[in-house]
Amino acid sequence: MSATFASLRYVNYRYWFIASLIASTGAWLQRVAQDWYVLTVLTDHDASQVGVVTALQFMPIILFSAHAGVLADRVPGRRLLQCTQVGVGLVSLIIGLVVLTGTGQLWHQYVLAFISGTISAIDTPARQSFVGELVPADKMANAVALNATAFHTARLIGPASAGFFIDWWGVGPVFLIDAGMFAAPVIALALMRADRLYPRTLVPRARGQLAESVAYVHSRTDIRIILALIFVVSALGMNFQMTSALMATTVFGKAAGSFGILSSFMALGSILGATGAARRAPRLRTILMGAVFYGSAEIALGLAPSYWWFALLSIPTGFGMLTMNTSANALVQTRTEPDKRGRVMALYSLVFLGATPIGSPFIGWVGTTFGARWALLVGGIASLGIALVCGAWAMIHWKGRVVRRPSFPWVGVEGGSSVDAPRRSVTSA
């Protein structure tokens, strides 16, 4: 088996990979269906309302993520994840019933989006920490990257399928299909072999554990620069479910099926970025260059002259996005002490996902007021700008120098002083 798929040698990880692929496909069905339902049924193509629903879905990340990380470090991952997956499936079932009975109102979507987001806030740090229990420590970065590959393979399948299902059957059945798909991880977790797990030490209940994780992150300049970059890009540059829907309907005049296809094109680039990250050890320079590439590609998307140009440009956009995101996630996980991983990844999720409630209403307002193209251009300019600022700060702070590389990301940084620990020198960044 090639180095790209090394983690699939482990039986428990294979269970998890397949289950994640199924559940993630269901999640994408739900996302596309909910956005389309709000955009075309509950409102008259009001992108700002889609932004509000998205914000409510991610707002619990801000409210509860930090405490969810403490929970992830205390409670066995299998038990916690089974509970969250059952919860998400039930929410999807309720949305489907509301839609099918014709009783759906906009405030229903607000409430259900918030409940779903609350469950996801608990699920995310537990899910990310649990990866370390499925493979040995030296395979963790590869496992993280393959998780991203599964998620974006689902993104390749899910949105296009959702678009066609909506055209054929309407919105309601999509939510019911989604609800059934969340049984897959529940079953997979039950089937896992306990003797093939690599359990991490759980911390006992004690005061000050959240403050301890904040202090730990504050002491790590390598993690802090990643969080700053991810916050800006996530807040302003990663609102594609909204901006793609707005571009498809108001700029290109397309229906639901064509809207779903756009996400699949981006997912193709995302898979390429994630599998590329699976072959490499995570580096800070890869994250920064991925953000530069991503911001530039998003600007090109905003200037796309036609629907098919937009679709084709979505491929390099997805590649840059996943090169950056997967490398950032893997770098933080592999450089964090195991007994703090749940709490640190919760803070990472707080920044990565919690930035969306801050940015998506603004980007929705930009799209409604100035047009869909400006929603993309603002996101691309912000992503490119923060990457350049973080890169300049790192060069000055760590006294590094730029050198050419024969392969992506084509440049590297060498020399300089150490960063927080011997493994974290600029040379290895």
Side-chain angles (χ1 to χ4, degrees):
M1 187 177 292
S2 70
T4 302
F5 302 101
S7 295
L8 292 176
R9 295 190 183 102
Y10 302 91
V11 61
N12 286 336
Y13 186 80
R14 288 199 297 273
Y15 283 137
W16 185 245
F17 181 86
I18 294 170
S20 294
L21 180 60
I22 296 170
S24 296
T25 301
W28 280 109
L29 292 177
Q30 191 265 355
R31 289 186 187 186
V32 173
Q34 187 171 42
D35 286 352
W36 193 259
Y37 183 58
V38 172
L39 189 68
T40 64
V41 177
L42 298 181
T43 70
D44 184 16
H45 295 86
D46 189 344
S48 63
Q49 291 301 321
V50 178
V52 171
V53 171
T54 302
L56 287 169
Q57 200 169 37
F58 289 99
M59 189 177 295
I61 299 292
I62 295 176
L63 300 176
F64 309 127
S65 268
H67 296 286
V70 174
L71 189 65
D73 280 339
R74 290 177 181 171
V75 180
R78 292 174 74 183
R79 185 196 315 165
L80 189 56
L81 287 169
Q82 282 183 319
C83 292
T84 58
Q85 295 304 294
V86 169
V88 173
L90 287 175
V91 169
S92 296
L93 178 62
I94 292 170
I95 297 176
L97 293 176
V98 167
V99 174
L100 288 173
T101 56
T103 58
Q105 298 180 35
L106 190 57
W107 72 268
H108 293 159
Q109 299 307 309
Y110 291 165
V111 172
L112 291 167
F114 187 82
I115 294 172
S116 178
T118 300
I119 297 171
S120 294
I122 299 170
D123 177 85
T124 300
R127 175 185 296 272
Q128 293 178 335
S129 301
F130 188 61
V131 172
E133 299 186 42
L134 300 175
V135 296
D138 63 335
K139 296 294 187 295
M140 187 184 299
N142 176 261
V144 171
L146 287 182
N147 275 358
T149 302
F151 180 78
H152 289 280
T153 300
R155 188 178 183 178
L156 185 65
I157 301 167
S161 300
F164 288 122
F165 291 163
I166 293 169
D167 281 346
W168 295 338
W169 303 322
V171 179
V174 177
F175 292 107
L176 300 183
I177 293 169
D178 169 56
M181 286 182 166
F182 282 100
V186 176
I187 296 170
L189 288 162
L191 292 174
M192 286 182 183
R193 295 179 54 177
D195 61 332
R196 297 291 184 89
L197 291 172
Y198 299 84
R200 60 194 179 97
T201 301
L202 298 176
V203 297
R205 184 182 181 88
R207 295 173 62 91
Q209 290 176 336
L210 179 56
E212 180 187 16
S213 65
V214 173
Y216 177 79
V217 170
H218 185 265
S219 71
R220 295 286 302 277
T221 55
D222 55 338
I223 295 179
R224 279 192 285 133
I225 195 172
I226 293 171
L227 296 182
L229 174 73
I230 292 297
F231 176 83
V232 174
V233 177
S234 298
L236 301 177
M238 290 188 183
N239 295 282
F240 284 109
Q241 288 305 112
M242 174 175 57
T243 54
S244 293
L246 198 58
M247 287 288 287
T249 55
T250 65
V251 177
F252 302 126
K254 299 295 183 179
S258 298
F259 163 50
I261 287 173
L262 291 178
S263 293
S264 295
F265 271 85
M266 185 168 291
L268 177 60
S270 299
I271 292 170
L272 296 175
T275 53
R279 292 193 297 268
R280 298 186 297 266
R283 297 285 188 267
L284 181 58
R285 66 170 180 264
T286 308
I287 300 168
L288 293 173
M289 290 304 299
V292 168
F293 188 90
Y294 173 72
S296 302
E298 188 172 6
I299 292 171
L301 269 184
L303 301 174
S306 68
Y307 172 83
W308 286 111
W309 267 110
F310 188 93
L312 290 174
L313 287 169
S314 295
I315 298 175
T317 304
F319 176 84
M321 178 174 63
L322 259 291
T323 297
M324 174 189 63
N325 288 348
T326 304
S327 298
N329 189 302
L331 192 68
V332 173
Q333 286 209 52
T334 56
R335 292 186 175 184
T336 298
E337 296 173 13
D339 64 334
K340 297 181 180 66
R341 190 172 296 138
R343 285 166 287 170
V344 171
M345 293 313 298
L347 295 175
Y348 178 89
S349 298
L350 177 61
V351 171
F352 178 52
L353 299 176
T356 303
I358 297 172
S360 61
F362 171 71
I363 293 298
W365 174 81
V366 169
T368 300
T369 306
F370 301 103
R373 293 187 184 278
W374 273 106
L376 286 164
L377 291 173
V378 168
I381 292 168
S383 300
L384 178 59
I386 190 62
L388 296 176
V389 169
C390 288
W393 184 91
M395 291 290 294
I396 294 170
H397 185 74
W398 294 323
K399 298 180 177 62
R401 61 186 179 86
V402 176
V403 296
R404 295 179 63 183
R405 300 288 187 190
S407 60
F408 186 84
W410 303 303
V411 296
V413 179
E414 290 185 352
S417 58
S418 63
V419 184
D420 299 321
R423 286 188 59 211
R424 301 169 185 100
S425 66
V426 176
T427 305
S428 68

